[in-house]
Amino acid sequence: MGALKDLGKTLRLIGLYFKVNLASAMEYRGSFWLQAFGMALSNGSFVFFWWIAFQQIGGSIGGYDFKDVMFIWAVTSSAFGAANIFFANMNGITRIIINGELDTFLLQPKDVLISLLCAKTSLGAWGDLGYGVILMALTQGPSKMAWGMFIAGVIVGGLLMTAVAVTAHSLTFYFGDAALIGGMVQEFVLNFSLYPVGIYRGFVRVLMYTVIPAFFMVHLPLKLVRDFSWSGLIALLGVCIVYCSFAYWFFYRGLKKYESGNLVITRI
Amino acid sequence: MRSVRKYGTVLRISLENAFAYRSTAVGGLLFYSLFIFVFFNLWRAIYQGGEVAGYSLTQMVWYLCITELIVFACRSSVFAQMNEDVKSGNISYQLNRPYHYVLYQFFNALGGMTFNLFLYGALAIVLGLVMVGPIPGFRLHNLPFILLSGVLGMVINFFLLMTLGLTAFRLEENTAFYFLYQKLVFMLGMFIPVEFLPPWLQGIARWLPFSYVAWAPGRLFVAFSWDFFWQVIPVQLAWAGVAVSLAFVMYNFGIRGLQAHGG
């Protein structure tokens, strides 16, 4: 009961941050729409790449046909968008720790990690989120299973992307500047999610099931669309809970090593 | 002569800067390797046998190594720098300095681009050899001509980006142009050779500058022929001329409307 109450409080806090961030973004409507449009356009160009690739060979690539590839692109794009709308600071954790800007969050009476992650939003991320929805509508039709797994993939994928970033950037507490590792990990997440799982072999496959759980972000939801099973859905949710809990624990364990730089800053 | 020495000094300083920021270079090398690795896996899955549009798997992987090399080597902050200089008003501080702004920006970026070309070039050769081995029929004595095409591609790319950046003189928000340009370069040559495109689009792509940034040198590297060389070099020279002229015209046009108010 207590855990549920805590979860409710956390969700309320995330909701409040979201409202404030959205209101702030809407102050610059022109910039907001332009960035969102630019991002959607940028993603859209890859549909062209895949169209050409499938035209050249026909059939399937790495076990996926064109529709499957569009599904993983839609889930990855929207999950990335959702993560960066709600938790845009996930990619700035290293910078915030190194600059000593974490002090501001430590003084707040709410969960430090949640406040830190939610304190910023990305305007372009709305383009990613919208692009995924449009791609789904254009390529998957009204299939309830496809849309259900899309929503599950966006939520799980978004949370896992955030958890991976938090874990990677938390290495800064332990070993110093981890910005490069954080950036690389994000690239790995995207590249393992955006291409058919069948093109990878050996060690990369192991990575996709463990440290960089791209398989659970997009490929398992696709598998469930093709052949639904409750055990698959439970595995999807289980991995998400375990990884997010680990990231949370790893951040707070590292936080104990943090030393304030007595930096005085103002957050408006 | 003094002018040559002046821009030579700018080039030397930018080259020294490129050597000084080694961690940025290491990060870039890792990203470059990741991209090549992912696309190697993808094209290996696509090529279940034989050739696609006249390219073998070996040629395709080397093609990607070269086109990515050009795009990575071309990486400069010129678009962002133009935007920043124009929007912040910093450009007014550069007007009374003893150099031409456009040429200064070019030579300032040239050091980094030269450094990148050698750095990523070495990595491209290692990755290509490890993944698919040498290109059948490759002749080392063709390399200077391929390099010429690569340099022209970089010049076209740099000055087109500069032109887009300088639109900030007239437009408040010009990032959409950058996204559009970047994707056109990616899709009309960097990721996919022009020969892979549908015939109608090939016709259009061969008239536009975007394919001449990466496709022309990439194709020359994997399947050199004098016919193709004499076909693309004049077009690259023409587009390089157009891109440089556009940058100067855009700068002169923009600077005419500039108002500086002390500070």
Side-chain angles (χ1 to χ4, degrees):
Chain A
M1 200 60 193
L4 273 179
K5 208 173 157 188
D6 284 348
L7 183 67
K9 275 184 184 173
T10 305
L11 289 176
R12 242 196 322 275
L13 179 65
I14 294 172
L16 280 171
Y17 267 110
F18 171 73
K19 264 168 67 179
V20 172
N21 284 332
L22 187 64
S24 142
M26 281 303 158
E27 283 297 308
Y28 303 95
R29 258 164 234 223
S31 180
F32 171 81
W33 287 111
L34 203 72
Q35 285 198 45
F37 172 73
M39 208 47 86
L41 182 79
S42 173
N43 293 343
S45 63
F46 284 93
V47 176
F48 175 74
F49 170 81
W50 285 105
W51 177 66
I52 295 287
F54 278 100
Q55 280 242 319
Q56 286 293 337
I57 57 144
S60 69
I61 298 173
Y64 286 15
D65 61 21
F66 183 72
K67 200 173 161 186
D68 295 335
V69 172
M70 291 302 103
F71 180 84
I72 59 171
W73 269 82
V75 175
T76 307
S77 175
S78 287
F80 181 81
N84 280 285
I85 287 169
F86 288 101
F87 312 120
N89 250 351
M90 65 178 172
N91 297 315
I93 296 175
T94 293
R95 179 186 48 79
I96 290 167
I97 296 169
I98 288 176
N99 290 350
E101 291 170 23
L102 209 52
D103 296 17
T104 326
F105 299 97
L106 290 171
L107 292 172
Q108 287 178 4
K110 294 284 180 188
D111 190 294
V112 177
L113 179 59
I114 300 295
S115 298
L116 168 65
L117 289 173
C118 298
K120 190 179 159 191
T121 190
S122 158
L123 301 186
W126 285 94
D128 291 315
L129 181 71
Y131 171 76
V133 176
I134 293 166
L135 201 57
M136 276 296 292
L138 292 176
T139 61
Q140 310 295 319
S143 161
K144 279 183 191 157
M145 183 55 80
W147 280 96
M149 285 306 119
F150 168 73
I151 292 166
V154 171
I155 295 169
V156 169
L159 288 171
L160 281 175
M161 281 179 192
T162 310
V164 171
V166 168
T167 308
H169 284 283
S170 294
L171 289 170
T172 303
F173 289 126
Y174 302 85
F175 309 110
D177 192 344
L180 183 60
I181 297 172
M184 280 303 289
V185 161
Q186 192 185 44
E187 287 298 324
F188 275 116
V189 166
L190 291 176
N191 282 294
F192 291 166
S193 303
L194 291 171
Y195 300 94
V197 71
I199 71 166
Y200 298 110
R201 298 174 189 171
F203 178 66
V204 177
R205 281 277 186 104
V206 176
L207 272 182
M208 289 173 76
Y209 285 90
T210 52
V211 185
I212 316 274
F215 176 78
F216 299 95
M217 295 175 190
V218 291
H219 301 293
L220 183 55
L222 175 66
K223 212 167 165 233
L224 292 173
V225 173
R226 288 166 167 179
D227 183 18
F228 181 80
S229 71
W230 284 105
S231 57
L233 188 63
I234 291 167
L236 186 71
L237 299 175
V239 167
C240 182
I241 291 167
V242 169
Y243 207 113
C244 289
S245 306
F246 172 77
Y248 192 82
W249 169 81
F250 194 62
F251 175 85
Y252 275 97
R253 190 173 175 272
L255 187 60
K256 288 180 187 155
K257 298 173 189 289
Y258 176 72
E259 287 176 25
S260 167
N262 294 321
L263 178 71
V264 180
I265 52 169
T266 313
R267 284 184 66 220
I268 301 167
Chain B
M1 192 60 204
R2 191 187 286 176
S3 179
V4 172
R5 212 178 306 141
K6 185 166 58 185
Y7 293 113
T9 307
V10 176
L11 172 63
R12 184 176 52 77
I13 292 169
S14 80
L15 205 54
E16 282 171 5
N17 279 339
F19 275 102
Y21 294 104
R22 284 186 215 98
S23 63
T24 313
V26 172
L29 290 176
L30 289 172
F31 283 114
Y32 178 84
S33 306
L34 174 65
F35 283 126
I36 296 295
F37 174 73
V38 169
F39 277 94
F40 165 63
N41 280 288
L42 180 64
W43 285 107
R44 189 174 56 184
I46 292 174
Y47 275 82
Q48 282 144 351
E51 289 188 348
V52 179
Y55 286 76
S56 65
L57 176 62
T58 306
Q59 284 178 312
M60 194 59 217
V61 171
W62 275 103
Y63 178 86
L64 273 171
C65 288
I66 299 305
T67 54
E68 291 268 3
L69 161 67
I70 288 163
V71 171
F72 268 77
C74 277
R75 276 197 317 184
S76 70
S77 54
V78 63
F79 178 82
Q81 186 68 50
M82 299 291 101
N83 253 322
E84 173 66 20
D85 282 354
V86 173
K87 287 177 185 171
S88 68
N90 272 347
I91 201 162
S92 55
Y93 294 107
Q94 313 233 17
L95 292 178
N96 56 359
R97 291 191 181 165
Y99 52 64
H100 192 285
Y101 179 74
V102 172
L103 288 177
Y104 169 78
Q105 291 297 343
F106 177 66
F107 283 98
N108 192 34
L110 193 59
M113 290 200 286
T114 310
F115 175 79
N116 286 344
L117 193 63
F118 284 103
L119 189 72
Y120 293 111
L123 183 64
I125 292 167
V126 172
L127 290 176
L129 288 174
V130 168
M131 286 175 182
V132 287
I135 307 169
F138 181 79
R139 301 275 175 275
L140 204 62
H141 58 76
N142 291 331
L143 202 58
F145 304 100
I146 299 164
L147 211 58
L148 171 68
S149 174
V151 168
L152 284 172
M154 288 166 75
V155 169
I156 295 171
N157 185 62
F158 181 87
F159 282 99
L160 284 182
L161 277 175
M162 183 181 251
T163 305
L164 292 179
L166 288 170
T167 57
F169 272 121
R170 303 283 159 174
L171 299 167
E172 197 182 336
E173 188 55 66
N174 56 358
T175 325
F177 291 144
Y178 175 74
F179 279 125
L180 196 62
Y181 171 81
Q182 199 192 30
K183 297 307 155 196
L184 284 167
V185 170
F186 283 4
M187 293 304 154
L188 299 180
M190 191 186 102
F191 287 142
I192 322 169
V194 170
E195 293 82 358
F196 280 48
L197 305 174
W200 63 270
L201 190 55
Q202 278 191 42
I204 298 171
R206 284 170 198 266
W207 282 101
L208 297 172
F210 316 108
S211 302
Y212 294 93
V213 172
W215 166 68
R219 171 79 193 179
L220 278 171
F221 192 88
V222 299
F224 187 90
S225 77
W226 286 109
D227 276 354
F228 186 71
F229 178 79
W230 289 118
Q231 200 183 314
V232 291
I233 289 293
V235 185
Q236 281 191 299
L237 279 168
W239 274 119
V242 169
V244 173
S245 310
L246 272 175
F248 275 94
V249 168
M250 190 59 86
Y251 173 75
N252 290 333
F253 178 62
I255 219 76
R256 237 179 282 154
L258 188 76
Q259 291 182 8
H261 299 281

Short mmCIF file of all heavy atoms in Angstrom, two decimals, chain B residues 82-83 85-87 91 95 101 164-172 174 250-258:
data_model
loop_
_atom_site.label_atom_id
_atom_site.label_comp_id
_atom_site.label_asym_id
_atom_site.label_seq_id
_atom_site.Cartn_x
_atom_site.Cartn_y
_atom_site.Cartn_z
N MET B 82 27.71 30.31 -37.68
CA MET B 82 27.11 31.42 -38.45
C MET B 82 25.88 31.94 -37.71
O MET B 82 25.70 33.14 -37.53
CB MET B 82 26.65 30.94 -39.83
CG MET B 82 27.70 30.40 -40.75
SD MET B 82 28.82 31.63 -41.34
CE MET B 82 30.19 31.29 -40.27
N ASN B 83 25.04 30.98 -37.30
CA ASN B 83 23.82 31.33 -36.60
C ASN B 83 24.12 32.14 -35.35
O ASN B 83 23.52 33.19 -35.09
CB ASN B 83 23.10 30.05 -36.17
CG ASN B 83 21.87 29.79 -37.00
OD1 ASN B 83 21.18 30.74 -37.35
ND2 ASN B 83 21.63 28.55 -37.32
N ASP B 85 26.94 33.75 -34.51
CA ASP B 85 27.58 35.04 -34.79
C ASP B 85 26.57 36.09 -35.24
O ASP B 85 26.62 37.25 -34.82
CB ASP B 85 28.65 34.87 -35.89
CG ASP B 85 29.93 34.27 -35.33
OD1 ASP B 85 30.01 34.11 -34.09
OD2 ASP B 85 30.83 33.95 -36.12
N VAL B 86 25.63 35.65 -36.12
CA VAL B 86 24.66 36.61 -36.66
C VAL B 86 23.63 36.99 -35.59
O VAL B 86 23.36 38.17 -35.35
CB VAL B 86 23.95 36.02 -37.90
CG1 VAL B 86 22.81 36.93 -38.35
CG2 VAL B 86 24.95 35.83 -39.03
N LYS B 87 23.09 35.96 -34.90
CA LYS B 87 22.01 36.24 -33.95
C LYS B 87 22.50 36.98 -32.71
O LYS B 87 21.80 37.80 -32.14
CB LYS B 87 21.31 34.94 -33.56
CG LYS B 87 20.44 34.40 -34.69
CD LYS B 87 19.81 33.09 -34.32
CE LYS B 87 19.05 32.54 -35.51
NZ LYS B 87 18.61 31.17 -35.28
N ILE B 91 29.13 39.00 -35.03
CA ILE B 91 29.68 39.20 -36.37
C ILE B 91 30.18 40.65 -36.54
O ILE B 91 31.13 40.90 -37.27
CB ILE B 91 28.65 38.83 -37.46
CG1 ILE B 91 29.37 38.55 -38.77
CG2 ILE B 91 27.54 39.84 -37.60
CD1 ILE B 91 28.55 37.78 -39.78
N LEU B 95 33.98 42.42 -38.25
CA LEU B 95 34.01 43.20 -39.49
C LEU B 95 35.28 44.04 -39.62
O LEU B 95 35.79 44.22 -40.71
CB LEU B 95 32.79 44.11 -39.56
CG LEU B 95 31.45 43.40 -39.73
CD1 LEU B 95 30.32 44.41 -39.74
CD2 LEU B 95 31.45 42.59 -41.01
N TYR B 101 35.61 37.62 -43.43
CA TYR B 101 34.89 36.73 -42.51
C TYR B 101 34.69 35.33 -43.10
O TYR B 101 34.95 34.32 -42.45
CB TYR B 101 33.53 37.35 -42.16
CG TYR B 101 32.70 36.51 -41.23
CD1 TYR B 101 33.02 36.42 -39.89
CD2 TYR B 101 31.60 35.79 -41.71
CE1 TYR B 101 32.25 35.64 -39.03
CE2 TYR B 101 30.83 35.02 -40.86
CZ TYR B 101 31.16 34.94 -39.52
OH TYR B 101 30.41 34.16 -38.68
N LEU B 164 23.61 28.34 -45.72
CA LEU B 164 22.39 28.12 -44.93
C LEU B 164 22.49 28.83 -43.58
O LEU B 164 21.52 29.42 -43.11
CB LEU B 164 22.17 26.62 -44.71
CG LEU B 164 21.80 25.80 -45.95
CD1 LEU B 164 21.62 24.33 -45.60
CD2 LEU B 164 20.51 26.33 -46.58
N GLY B 165 23.67 28.77 -42.97
CA GLY B 165 23.88 29.45 -41.69
C GLY B 165 23.69 30.96 -41.82
O GLY B 165 23.11 31.61 -40.94
N LEU B 166 24.16 31.51 -42.94
CA LEU B 166 24.07 32.96 -43.14
C LEU B 166 22.64 33.44 -43.44
O LEU B 166 22.38 34.64 -43.43
CB LEU B 166 25.01 33.39 -44.27
CG LEU B 166 26.50 33.35 -43.91
CD1 LEU B 166 27.36 33.55 -45.15
CD2 LEU B 166 26.84 34.41 -42.86
N THR B 167 21.72 32.49 -43.69
CA THR B 167 20.32 32.92 -43.86
C THR B 167 19.78 33.51 -42.56
O THR B 167 18.74 34.15 -42.56
CB THR B 167 19.39 31.74 -44.30
OG1 THR B 167 19.51 30.71 -43.32
CG2 THR B 167 19.74 31.21 -45.67
N ALA B 168 20.53 33.30 -41.46
CA ALA B 168 20.12 33.87 -40.17
C ALA B 168 20.05 35.41 -40.24
O ALA B 168 19.36 36.04 -39.43
CB ALA B 168 21.09 33.45 -39.09
N PHE B 169 20.73 36.02 -41.22
CA PHE B 169 20.65 37.47 -41.39
C PHE B 169 19.21 37.92 -41.66
O PHE B 169 18.81 39.00 -41.29
CB PHE B 169 21.51 37.91 -42.59
CG PHE B 169 22.95 38.18 -42.23
CD1 PHE B 169 23.97 37.47 -42.85
CD2 PHE B 169 23.29 39.15 -41.31
CE1 PHE B 169 25.30 37.73 -42.56
CE2 PHE B 169 24.61 39.43 -41.01
CZ PHE B 169 25.62 38.72 -41.63
N ARG B 170 18.48 37.06 -42.37
CA ARG B 170 17.13 37.43 -42.79
C ARG B 170 16.03 36.63 -42.08
O ARG B 170 14.89 37.07 -42.04
CB ARG B 170 16.96 37.25 -44.31
CG ARG B 170 17.97 38.02 -45.12
CD ARG B 170 17.61 39.49 -45.19
NE ARG B 170 18.78 40.30 -45.51
CZ ARG B 170 18.77 41.60 -45.75
NH1 ARG B 170 17.63 42.26 -45.67
NH2 ARG B 170 19.86 42.25 -46.03
N LEU B 171 16.38 35.42 -41.64
CA LEU B 171 15.36 34.56 -41.02
C LEU B 171 15.68 34.35 -39.55
O LEU B 171 16.83 34.11 -39.19
CB LEU B 171 15.34 33.19 -41.72
CG LEU B 171 15.00 33.19 -43.20
CD1 LEU B 171 15.34 31.85 -43.81
CD2 LEU B 171 13.53 33.51 -43.40
N GLU B 172 14.66 34.42 -38.74
CA GLU B 172 14.89 34.27 -37.30
C GLU B 172 15.23 32.82 -36.96
O GLU B 172 16.10 32.53 -36.17
CB GLU B 172 13.64 34.71 -36.54
CG GLU B 172 13.92 34.97 -35.07
CD GLU B 172 12.65 35.35 -34.34
OE1 GLU B 172 11.72 35.84 -35.00
OE2 GLU B 172 12.62 35.14 -33.14
N ASN B 174 16.22 29.17 -38.72
CA ASN B 174 16.58 28.53 -39.99
C ASN B 174 17.04 27.08 -39.80
O ASN B 174 17.64 26.49 -40.71
CB ASN B 174 17.68 29.34 -40.69
CG ASN B 174 18.89 29.53 -39.80
OD1 ASN B 174 18.89 29.10 -38.65
ND2 ASN B 174 19.92 30.16 -40.31
N MET B 250 25.60 35.70 -50.07
CA MET B 250 24.74 35.73 -48.88
C MET B 250 25.37 36.61 -47.79
O MET B 250 24.67 37.36 -47.11
CB MET B 250 24.55 34.29 -48.38
CG MET B 250 23.50 34.15 -47.30
SD MET B 250 21.89 34.68 -47.82
CE MET B 250 21.30 33.22 -48.59
N TYR B 251 26.68 36.54 -47.65
CA TYR B 251 27.37 37.34 -46.64
C TYR B 251 27.27 38.83 -46.99
O TYR B 251 26.90 39.65 -46.13
CB TYR B 251 28.85 36.91 -46.58
CG TYR B 251 29.69 37.78 -45.69
CD1 TYR B 251 29.62 37.69 -44.30
CD2 TYR B 251 30.55 38.73 -46.25
CE1 TYR B 251 30.38 38.50 -43.49
CE2 TYR B 251 31.32 39.56 -45.44
CZ TYR B 251 31.23 39.43 -44.06
OH TYR B 251 31.98 40.25 -43.27
N ASN B 252 27.58 39.15 -48.25
CA ASN B 252 27.53 40.57 -48.66
C ASN B 252 26.12 41.13 -48.54
O ASN B 252 25.92 42.26 -48.11
CB ASN B 252 28.04 40.72 -50.10
CG ASN B 252 29.53 40.47 -50.17
OD1 ASN B 252 30.26 40.68 -49.18
ND2 ASN B 252 29.99 39.96 -51.30
N PHE B 253 25.15 40.31 -48.92
CA PHE B 253 23.75 40.72 -48.85
C PHE B 253 23.33 40.94 -47.39
O PHE B 253 22.68 41.93 -47.06
CB PHE B 253 22.92 39.60 -49.50
CG PHE B 253 21.44 39.83 -49.49
CD1 PHE B 253 20.88 40.92 -50.14
CD2 PHE B 253 20.60 38.94 -48.83
CE1 PHE B 253 19.52 41.11 -50.12
CE2 PHE B 253 19.23 39.14 -48.81
CZ PHE B 253 18.69 40.23 -49.46
N GLY B 254 23.77 40.03 -46.53
CA GLY B 254 23.39 40.12 -45.12
C GLY B 254 24.06 41.29 -44.42
O GLY B 254 23.42 42.01 -43.64
N ILE B 255 25.32 41.49 -44.72
CA ILE B 255 26.10 42.50 -44.01
C ILE B 255 25.60 43.92 -44.33
O ILE B 255 25.73 44.83 -43.53
CB ILE B 255 27.61 42.33 -44.37
CG1 ILE B 255 28.46 42.55 -43.14
CG2 ILE B 255 28.08 43.21 -45.48
CD1 ILE B 255 28.45 41.44 -42.20
N ARG B 256 24.97 44.04 -45.52
CA ARG B 256 24.45 45.34 -45.93
C ARG B 256 23.32 45.80 -44.99
O ARG B 256 23.14 46.97 -44.74
CB ARG B 256 23.93 45.27 -47.37
CG ARG B 256 24.63 46.29 -48.27
CD ARG B 256 24.12 46.18 -49.68
NE ARG B 256 24.73 45.05 -50.37
CZ ARG B 256 24.13 44.42 -51.39
NH1 ARG B 256 22.95 44.76 -51.80
NH2 ARG B 256 24.75 43.43 -51.99
N GLY B 257 22.58 44.83 -44.46
CA GLY B 257 21.46 45.20 -43.60
C GLY B 257 21.83 45.22 -42.12
O GLY B 257 20.96 45.39 -41.26
N LEU B 258 23.12 45.04 -41.82
CA LEU B 258 23.55 44.94 -40.41
C LEU B 258 23.57 46.31 -39.74
O LEU B 258 24.08 47.28 -40.32
CB LEU B 258 24.94 44.31 -40.36
CG LEU B 258 25.46 43.96 -38.97
CD1 LEU B 258 24.78 42.71 -38.45
CD2 LEU B 258 26.96 43.73 -39.01
#
